[in-house]
Amino acid sequence: MWHNNDQSYGWIAIGLHWLSAGLVLGLFALGLWMVDLNYYSNWYKTAPHWHKSLGLALLLLTLLRLLWRWLQTKPAPLAAHSALEARIGRLVHSVIYLLMLLIMCSGYLISTADGRGIAVFNLFELPALPWQIPNQEDRAGELHALAAWSLMLMVGLHLLGALKHQFIDRDLTLKRILTPIKENYR
């Protein structure tokens, strides 16, 4: 039940998925909120610190998730899914992963544009790169925002797909990412 099998995701994959989802949504909301903070706000320095630390935690979680995905059996598509649905699902998942990695890399470039590292939960510092790109903060900031909004669009498509499978197709797609399923359901 902890590991995936050919029919179902295990608890580890399920936990990584939902923890990632919560962090993605939370970081997006935090990012939207903090861009409007002014210098006199009590949260002016605290919110970016948490955003950076949680973003780096999400990077680690995403790398762990990709490793787990690579090492584990992937549940087979349900028999009722068309080849087109399966391809669209794979494409949406791939784009979500790519956007997440792009957001995290651009966030790192924004945060280290002044040559200083990032204090991660005040436990250690992730150093800046030894070189800088001209207008690094602005360029990375534009990319970060565009990729974040694009990710929210893809998350919306992902959610709509899950709801379609649950309420229109009435299949077990959503149930497979909520809890491991023991019975054979192909």
Side-chain angles (χ1 to χ4, degrees), residues 79-90:
H81 293 180
S82 70
L84 178 61
E85 275 182 310
R87 265 182 284 190
I88 291 170
R90 284 191 304 273

Side-chain angles (χ1 to χ4, degrees), residues 18-110:
W18 290 108
L19 185 55
S20 296
L23 280 170
V24 163
L25 294 174
L27 282 164
F28 183 76
L30 180 57
L32 278 180
W33 174 70
M34 72 182 204
V35 295
D36 289 331
L37 294 175
N38 64 41
Y39 181 77
Y40 300 104
S41 170
N42 293 336
W43 288 93
Y44 183 74
K45 290 188 181 198
T46 306
H49 167 77
W50 282 102
H51 189 78
K52 294 171 195 179
S53 293
L54 289 170
L56 288 167
L58 179 60
L59 175 59
L60 182 63
L61 185 66
T62 301
L63 295 175
L64 177 64
R65 192 171 168 199
L66 288 168
L67 177 64
W68 186 256
R69 184 179 170 115
W70 182 67
L71 292 173
Q72 288 290 296
T73 301
K74 187 167 193 278
L78 297 174
H81 293 180
S82 70
L84 178 61
E85 275 182 310
R87 265 182 284 190
I88 291 170
R90 284 191 304 273
L91 177 64
V92 168
H93 282 101
S94 296
V95 170
I96 286 173
Y97 278 116
L98 287 172
L99 286 169
M100 286 172 54
L101 292 170
L102 182 60
I103 290 165
M104 292 178 268
C105 290
S106 61
Y108 170 80
L109 291 173
I110 295 165

Side-chain angles (χ1 to χ4, degrees), residues 76-90 92-93 157-177:
L78 297 174
H81 293 180
S82 70
L84 178 61
E85 275 182 310
R87 265 182 284 190
I88 291 170
R90 284 191 304 273
V92 168
H93 282 101
L157 286 174
H158 183 61
L159 178 61
L160 286 174
L163 294 174
K164 174 216 176 255
H165 283 290
Q166 180 67 25
F167 296 110
I168 295 174
D169 300 342
R170 299 191 186 280
D171 65 28
L172 296 171
T173 300
L174 185 59
K175 187 173 183 184
R176 291 201 304 183
I177 200 62

